[in-house]
């Protein structure tokens, strides 16, 4: 059951997608609608404490959809037409990736997976409770969004235990559902000779924007549980659902609103993606009238209605999750977006204007703003810099409008309008990134623009998917010779991306060929933790100490020890650092003396203490709390100690194997 449960989830997703097709949604758009439905549904049910019930209801609804479709077909009503290229691309690519991941069995390797994405998924699965309020407890990550976490839960709903490769499979299926929407630009039975190279392009798009220089380490494309790649796919797919849906009718906003809601639930920064997408939808409706569209006055009302509906959906989902998170940690994102400044979301633009108008700019303001300009022209993807990527996308839109689209057609206007307003949307998002560096991240991270590439490439990626959609729409509408030329260009693009990906990500560093030795250290770590867990009381709590690591290895322990409860020190030298509430109510990491460490342990509820590493300075500072003066740990006879608390005093004794 554990190995086959993702196939059950995939089948349920396909069933929901086909149900959407029966309601009139295009086959290429339906898988993404189904994936968004799952994310929104499981997030809602998790927030009200009914995650397990919500899972059963979703699977029962999928089964009911299958029965309904069969009955309708038996009555001669034929609710399903041929779903088209996009749906079969989703099915084929999804199954292929799941099979590949099953064979490779990849494990989590990176910081963000252990510090949130993977650990939150494991906690949610093992407790059948949304991670912020899980019984074994985790208040801090409640500010993160639940979208990918609950989608992983949906894929691992049946059976016991948590599987890391199945988390990757869930993320990849979601990405493929987003990529498949671009194939909705083609008719169901036409242009197959253009759809085939487009499928290759779509599969390689994540590589193109994830890598800016040739890599000599394992590429995590299609082996990543974090939000950036799915965010880029979801951004492009949401807009593709607008351009490929019923734009002339208000009901065409249904799939778009699903996409907007899903975007908000993927990541904090996705709020800006959703807002930009909602504005682009309204601008397109206003500026590109179809033959049956009303005059300008009527289009103004229609654009306002679509903008209002989109913004309402975005605001409602954001505020509902923010209220839920605030009920857990007592702080709203509107009042405190985190970081060192603890600035409210609405305060950030005002602070930026104040800093901008000051005659003498601060050093960090100048460093960040000038750095953001410089980084825009630095290489960070296979197309070159952000500037060349944007220029290339605008060039594709221009060429599509001039050479492929019929004269005076709505599609030609769409290409022009999207080129203009998507550029403005990117400028708005770039300003948002600047504010994040100035008022959220620490000064050290801000000065070096930490993680710049991973923050910016999802936006490029999403825009590129929409550009591909509009270009393929133009190709499908073009006359014979321009269409032939367009198909040739598409083949060249596919071949170029394939060669470029081979240059940047050699086979042995991709999901296809990553050597199993890459996981040898992690597998050894897992074996050691499994032995440790066999010696612990399932109802106890373990304090983990390391004096050589600033966090990564500790988060690995937290993840691998689940569902057992843990507490931990932040290493470095021989003096312990623990997380304690600060005077303003926020947590801060502080060094503790012998007496403070004793007090901390007495209040923490820890029943055992385990050493990942130890040094002489630690023994000198804290050895008096241990019955053997830590000689057992120093001589490697034991690394595990039991904790006894009496009258506020702590005493620890070695726990020997056997």
């Amino acid at each position: 059951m554990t190995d086959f449960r993702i196939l059950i989830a995939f089948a349920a997703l396909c069933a929901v997608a086909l149900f959407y097709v029966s309601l009139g949604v295009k086959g290429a758009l339906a898988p993404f609608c189904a994936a968004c439905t799952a994310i929104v549904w499981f997030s809602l049910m998790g927030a009200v404490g009914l995650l397990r019930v919500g899972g059963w209801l979703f699977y029962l609804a999928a089964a009911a959809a299958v029965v309904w479709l069969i009955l309708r077909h038996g009555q001669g009503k034929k609710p399903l037409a041929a779903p088209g290229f996009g749906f079969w691309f989703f099915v084929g690519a999804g199954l292929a990736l799941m099979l590949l991941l099953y064979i490779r069995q990849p494990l989590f390797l990176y910081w963000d997976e252990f510090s949130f994405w993977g650990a939150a998924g494991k906690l949610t699965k093992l407790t059948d409770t949304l991670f912020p309020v899980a019984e074994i407890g985790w208040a801090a990550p409640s500010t993160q969004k639940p979208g990918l976490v609950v989608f992983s839960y949906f894929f691992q709903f049946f059976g016991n235990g948590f599987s890391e490769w199945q988390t990757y499979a869930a993320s990849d299926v979601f990405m493929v559902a987003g990529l498949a929407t671009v194939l909705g630009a083609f008719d169901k039975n036409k242009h197959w000779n253009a759809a085939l190279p487009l499928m290759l392009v779509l599969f390689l798009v994540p590589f193109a924007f994830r890598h800016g220089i040739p890599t000599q380490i394992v590429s995590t494309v299609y082996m990543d549980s974090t939000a950036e790649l799915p965010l880029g796919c979801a951004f492009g797919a949401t807009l593709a659902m607008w351009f490929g849906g019923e734009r002339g009718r208000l009901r065409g906003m249904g799939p778009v609103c699903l996409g907007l809601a899903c975007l908000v639930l993927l990541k904090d920064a996705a709020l800006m993606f959703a807002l930009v997408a909602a504005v682009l939808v309204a601008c397109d409706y206003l500026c590109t009238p179809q033959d049956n569209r009303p005059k300008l006055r009527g289009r103004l009302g229609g654009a306002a209605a679509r903008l209002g509906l989109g913004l309402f959906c975005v605001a409602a989902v954001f505020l509902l999750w923010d209220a839920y998170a605030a009920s857990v940690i007592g702080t709203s994102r509107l009042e405190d977006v985190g970081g060192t400044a603890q600035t409210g979301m609405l305060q950030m633009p005002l602070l930026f204007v104040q800093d901008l108008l000051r005659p003498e700019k601060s050093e960090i303001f100048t460093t960040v703003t000038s750095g953001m300009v410089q980084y825009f022209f630095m290489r960070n993807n296979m197309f070159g810099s952000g500037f060349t990527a944007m220029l290339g996308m605008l060039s594709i839109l221009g060429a599509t409008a001039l050479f492929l689209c019929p004269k005076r057609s709505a599609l030609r206007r769409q290409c022009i309008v999207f080129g203009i307003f998507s550029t403005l949307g990117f400028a708005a998002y770039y300003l948002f990134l600047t504010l994040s560096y100035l008022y959220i991240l620490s000064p050290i991270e801000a000065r070096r623009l930490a993680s710049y590439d991973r923050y910016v490439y999802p936006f490029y990626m999403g825009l590129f998917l929409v550009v591909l959609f509009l270009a393929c729409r133009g190709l499908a509408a073009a006359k014979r010779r321009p269409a032939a030329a367009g198909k040739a260009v598409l083949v060249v693009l596919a071949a170029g991306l394939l060669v470029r990906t081979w240059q940047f990500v050699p086979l042995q560093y991709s999901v296809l060929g990553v050597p199993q030795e890459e996981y040898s250290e992690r597998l050894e770590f897992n074996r050691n933790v499994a032995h440790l867990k066999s010696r612990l009381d399932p109802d106890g709590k373990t304090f983990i100490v390391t004096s050589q690591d600033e966090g990564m290895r500790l988060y690995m322990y937290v993840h691998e020890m689940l569902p057992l409860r843990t507490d931990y020190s932040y290493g470095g030298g021989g003096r312990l650092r623990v997380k304690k509430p600060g005077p303003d109510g926020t947590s801060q990491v502080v060094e503790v003396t012998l007496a403070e460490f004793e007090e901390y342990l007495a209040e923490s509820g820890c029943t055992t203490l385990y050493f990942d590493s130890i040094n002489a300075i630690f023994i000198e500072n804290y050895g008096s709390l241990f019955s053997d003066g830590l000689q057992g740990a120093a001589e490697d006879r034991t690394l595990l100690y039991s904790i006894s608390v009496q009258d506020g005093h702590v005493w620890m004794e070695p726990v020997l194997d056997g």
Side-chain angles (χ1 to χ4, degrees), residues 298-321:
R299 295 203 311 273
L300 277 171
R306 283 156 179 79
L307 179 62
L309 187 59
L311 293 180
F312 173 79
C313 180
V314 171
V317 175
F318 176 83
L319 292 174
L320 284 172
W321 177 258

Side-chain angles (χ1 to χ4, degrees), residues 217-219 502 505-515 518:
I217 60 174
V218 171
S219 168
W502 180 267
V505 187
L507 182 64
Q508 66 269 28
Y509 297 136
S510 74
V511 65
L512 295 173
V514 54
E518 186 71 24

Side-chain angles (χ1 to χ4, degrees), residues 333 337-343 345 348 432 434-443 445-446:
R333 278 306 221 200
V337 293
T340 55
Q342 291 156 12
T343 308
M345 185 175 292
M348 289 167 56
F432 167 79
T434 304
L435 298 181
S436 300
Y437 279 113
L438 286 171
Y439 307 117
I440 298 179
L441 299 182
S442 69
E445 293 175 307

Side-chain angles (χ1 to χ4, degrees), residues 610-649:
Y610 178 77
F611 287 101
D612 176 68
S613 59
I614 190 172
N615 60 28
I617 303 176
F618 182 92
I619 295 174
E620 179 181 347
N621 288 333
Y622 305 101
S624 60
L625 292 176
F626 298 81
S627 63
D628 65 346
L630 284 176
Q631 288 306 302
E635 297 170 5
D636 205 24
R637 287 186 284 108
T638 183
L639 297 174
L640 184 65
Y641 287 78
S642 64
I643 300 176
S644 302
V645 181
Q646 187 173 2
D647 297 329
H649 293 288

Side-chain angles (χ1 to χ4, degrees), residues 158-195:
F158 297 103
N160 298 318
F162 174 81
S163 174
E164 295 178 11
W165 74 266
Q166 290 177 3
T167 296
Y168 289 147
S171 179
D172 290 349
V173 166
F174 179 80
M175 287 171 56
V176 169
L179 295 172
T181 58
V182 179
L183 286 154
F186 294 124
D187 293 331
K188 295 172 185 175
N189 300 313
K190 297 180 181 180
H191 310 293
W192 62 266
N193 52 354

Side-chain angles (χ1 to χ4, degrees), residues 447-458:
R447 287 186 177 90
R448 59 186 179 89
L449 297 185
S451 301
Y452 170 87
D453 291 347
R454 66 180 290 196
Y455 293 150
V456 77
Y457 79 71

